Amino acid sequence: MIRYTIHGGTPLHGELTVSGAKNAAVAILPAALLVDGVCHIENVPDISDVRLLLQIIETMGVAVRRVGATTLEIDSRNARCVPAPEELARKIRASYYLIGAQLGRFGRANVALPGGCNFGPRPIDQHVKGFEALGATVEIEDLSVFAVAENGMKGSHIYLDIVSVGATMNIMIAAVLTPGLTVIENCAKEPHIVDLANFLNAMGAKVSGAGTDVIKVRGVPKLTGGSYSIIPDQIEAGTYMAAVAAAGGNVVVQNVIPKHMDCITAKLREMGLSIAEYDDAIRVEKTRSLKAAKVKTMPYPGFPTDMQPQICVCMSLASGESAITEGIYDTRWRYTDELQRMGADISVEAKTATIKGPHELHGCTVRAFDLRAGAAMVIAALAADGTTVIEDAQYIERGYEDIIGKLTALGAKITRDVVTD
Ligand code: EPU
């Protein structure tokens, strides 16, 4: 177990640089399996989800070499169609992209059903619907997915029943080497979807429409390789912005695409944070106390569910009654019990949380139940008086590169221990 200890109450000052986007990287790395050549991928975040995926693709004959601080050389010329190691695949939700990648490259796939954060049921029926439309037979047995296209795959028209980030990207990956035209309708529009399409196109694919709700993929016989740089992580940037809203201070968040931040910037401004946007940076400054707000999480360009726990901490510190309605997952509220133990006043009914503030937060021992819940605990601890101990902080390291170093540079008092018992 990893444990963080945070002595709160110190405002954050200085600059930090956001890493490459986790949810782009975890799709692009499996998609590199499609490339019958060498690709150089820059701005790859050094986070545990990425390290796990790299371990998995290495077992499939993919050669991975670090050629720069954040650049990887990935050579999939000798990739083999072998099952993804079950114990690794189950640890990470994004292993589902290996189904699309194996199917696209080899016409068959065998991947254990994905794990990841537990927010209630997270089916993959829309992914399966897409693979079947392309000509694959998909079976799920003993919590593993077996897909095979005995007679090859063929471009098809797929209408997604729900807007799904994973299904949109997985079908795109499976379709890139599939002969004919694949049209995916009712697509998700997140920045990482555009990033995956840009990566695939840089490798020789023909994908158009990413970022709109209709994506077209014209199959090509081969992807040959090239260079690509992953976009900055919208949620990592938003998390540090929320940390300034909660703990106070004045911070320049470098390496962001301000347009991707609009949904988060608008809400934090409404709550009273001063935010200035530059070409590839954002300055956040807390000059007054926070005001209550209402937010509903939605697919992009709406307010992201992956910022829901972090904004909840800010709302606990804001004056008035705030509300959050969760629009993506059935349940994502486990962290609210931990925040209440720190002094927050939150009541949850079905998909809506009502947060009354302002309430001072007090340090105590809390758990990180998942990645973003853990990020919320860090933010709460930075704003709290006294000392907070965050247990199970390894979840945070699934998605935040060097969070200790980045926060320490801003003046936070945070330490990390590995606890063995
Ligand atoms: N859904 C289905 N069937 C499907 C696919 C999804 O019913 O076949 C449902 C889900 O249960 C959920 C909704 O549709 O209620 C949206 O799910 P989506 O497929 O968009 O999410 P995902 O691909 O499983 C990715 C991110 C999540 C992020 C969501 C929403 C990765 C690896 N994960 O998950 O990221 O919350 O999109 O934006 O990209 C995180 O980074 O903390 C995280 C959890």
Side-chain angles (χ1 to χ4, degrees):
M1 177 180 83
I2 308 285
R3 188 170 60 196
Y4 291 173
T5 303
I6 299 178
H7 303 289
T10 312
L12 304 172
H13 285 277
E15 284 187 12
L16 74 102
T17 301
V18 170
S19 301
K22 160 184 167 277
N23 288 345
V26 297
I28 286 173
L29 295 171
L33 201 62
L34 297 170
V35 182
D36 192 6
V38 178
C39 40
H40 284 91
I41 309 177
E42 296 163 27
N43 209 26
V44 180
D46 187 12
I47 51 177
S48 62
D49 271 15
V50 160
R51 287 193 288 266
L52 251 168
L53 268 174
L54 292 173
Q55 248 181 295
I56 297 175
I57 61 173
E58 280 180 321
T59 67
M60 298 174 176
V62 175
V64 178
R65 204 160 67 89
R66 186 165 287 281
V67 291
T70 65
T71 305
L72 298 178
E73 179 188 87
I74 302 207
D75 181 351
S76 305
R77 282 175 295 187
N78 298 318
R80 297 182 302 268
C81 185
V82 291
E86 194 180 319
E87 69 288 0
L88 299 178
R90 286 209 201 287
K91 283 190 184 158
I92 167 175
R93 177 118 189 116
S95 50
Y96 54 36
Y97 293 124
L98 293 163
I99 310 170
Q102 286 194 338
L103 205 48
R105 173 100 188 237
F106 306 113
R108 56 177 61 240
N110 180 355
V111 181
L113 270 179
C117 299
N118 180 9
F119 318 129
R122 294 177 76 183
I124 59 162
D125 56 301
Q126 299 303 303
H127 305 233
V128 171
K129 172 177 161 167
F131 301 146
E132 288 178 339
L134 295 176
T137 304
V138 184
E139 280 177 21
I140 301 180
E141 261 173 44
D142 297 333
L143 293 174
S144 281
V145 178
F146 300 86
V148 58
E150 292 289 4
N151 301 315
M153 304 224 287
K154 195 163 165 291
S156 183
H157 199 118
I158 297 137
Y159 192 99
L160 295 176
D161 299 322
I162 38 160
V163 177
S164 159
V165 169
T168 302
M169 302 224 267
N170 223 347
I171 298 168
M172 219 197 290
I173 291 171
V176 158
L177 298 176
T178 297
L181 178 69
T182 296
V183 180
I184 316 167
E185 291 205 58
N186 198 25
C187 293
K189 295 181 273 202
E190 270 66 6
H192 31 288
I193 287 170
V194 180
D195 209 39
L196 172 66
N198 288 342
F199 163 76
L200 292 168
N201 288 340
M203 300 300 128
K206 288 194 177 149
V207 181
S208 60
T212 75
D213 47 22
V214 183
I215 294 178
K216 293 185 178 164
V217 185
R218 170 80 58 192
V220 295
K222 190 174 164 171
L223 297 187
T224 47
S227 295
Y228 191 73
S229 183
I230 293 176
I231 51 164
D233 196 304
Q234 175 208 32
I235 305 298
E236 188 196 3
T239 299
Y240 288 112
M241 291 166 73
V244 176
N250 183 343
V251 169
V252 178
V253 184
Q254 302 273 11
N255 190 33
V256 295
I257 298 174
K259 182 74 197 145
H260 293 170
M261 306 306 302
D262 281 353
C263 38
I264 299 165
T265 302
K267 193 51 62 182
L268 288 172
R269 272 196 183 126
E270 189 184 317
M271 293 181 72
L273 202 64
S274 298
I275 302 177
E277 293 172 16
Y278 309 105
D279 288 348
D280 59 359
I282 284 183
R283 178 186 290 280
V284 272
E285 187 176 11
K286 188 172 183 183
T287 51
R288 51 186 177 273
S289 50
L290 298 174
K291 290 182 297 204
K294 293 197 170 20
V295 73
K296 175 166 184 188
T297 66
M298 288 191 215
Y300 188 82
F303 189 88
T305 176
D306 294 341
M307 278 297 296
Q308 187 245 94
Q310 301 91 312
I311 199 90
C312 186
V313 178
C314 300
M315 289 173 167
S316 300
L317 298 162
S319 56
E321 187 172 298
S322 296
I324 305 176
T325 303
E326 172 54 46
I328 307 292
Y329 295 112
D330 287 349
T331 157
R332 198 175 191 170
W333 304 117
R334 272 176 90 192
Y335 72 91
T336 57
D337 289 341
E338 304 299 279
L339 277 186
Q340 300 217 78
R341 291 201 296 110
M342 294 182 76
D345 178 349
I346 306 168
S347 53
V348 177
E349 213 181 307
K351 292 197 162 196
T352 300
T354 304
I355 304 115
K356 292 187 181 144
H359 278 278
E360 282 183 6
L361 300 177
H362 311 289
C364 64
T365 298
V366 291
R367 260 187 79 195
F369 285 116
D370 61 60
L371 166 59
R372 307 302 172 188
M377 292 305 121
V378 171
I379 296 173
L382 293 169
D385 55 37
T387 301
T388 301
V389 174
I390 304 176
E391 294 184 337
D392 282 334
Q394 66 277 7
Y395 285 113
I396 301 170
E397 299 181 2
R398 290 184 50 192
Y400 291 90
E401 177 176 328
D402 190 23
I403 189 168
I404 302 288
K406 289 182 187 184
L407 283 173
T408 303
L410 299 178
K413 299 189 181 105
I414 175 167
T415 54
R416 174 188 191 271
D417 299 295
V418 180
V419 184
T420 45
D421 44 23

